[in-house]
Amino acid sequence: MSLDALRRRLDRIEARQGAGHITSLCNLAGHPAPIAAEAVRDWRAWVADGRASRNGDTLILRAPVLTAEQWSAAHEPRSGSLQ
């Protein structure tokens, strides 16, 4: 691969990342508004930590990945509830 081809490929990748401001938010994690606002302000840290990703000008907040035990504990029926 030539240096020019590598530069063009890098330019295409960087263009998809978006260098401008965040214009939309996809809050898949269901964070409250103050936390989502903090994520928009400090989006680079959130992306670096894997808590969010960026697609152009859209910031996507990810829900944490749960283990099977954590998911079971969060979704097991409570006693006295109707089923």
Side-chain angles (χ1 to χ4, degrees), residues 66 70-78:
L66 301 176
Q70 291 170 328
W71 189 92
S72 295
H75 293 88
E76 80 179 14
R78 292 180 174 79

Side-chain angles (χ1 to χ4, degrees), residues 20-34:
H21 299 289
I22 301 294
T23 59
S24 60
L25 178 69
C26 181
N27 190 356
L28 297 176
H31 292 298

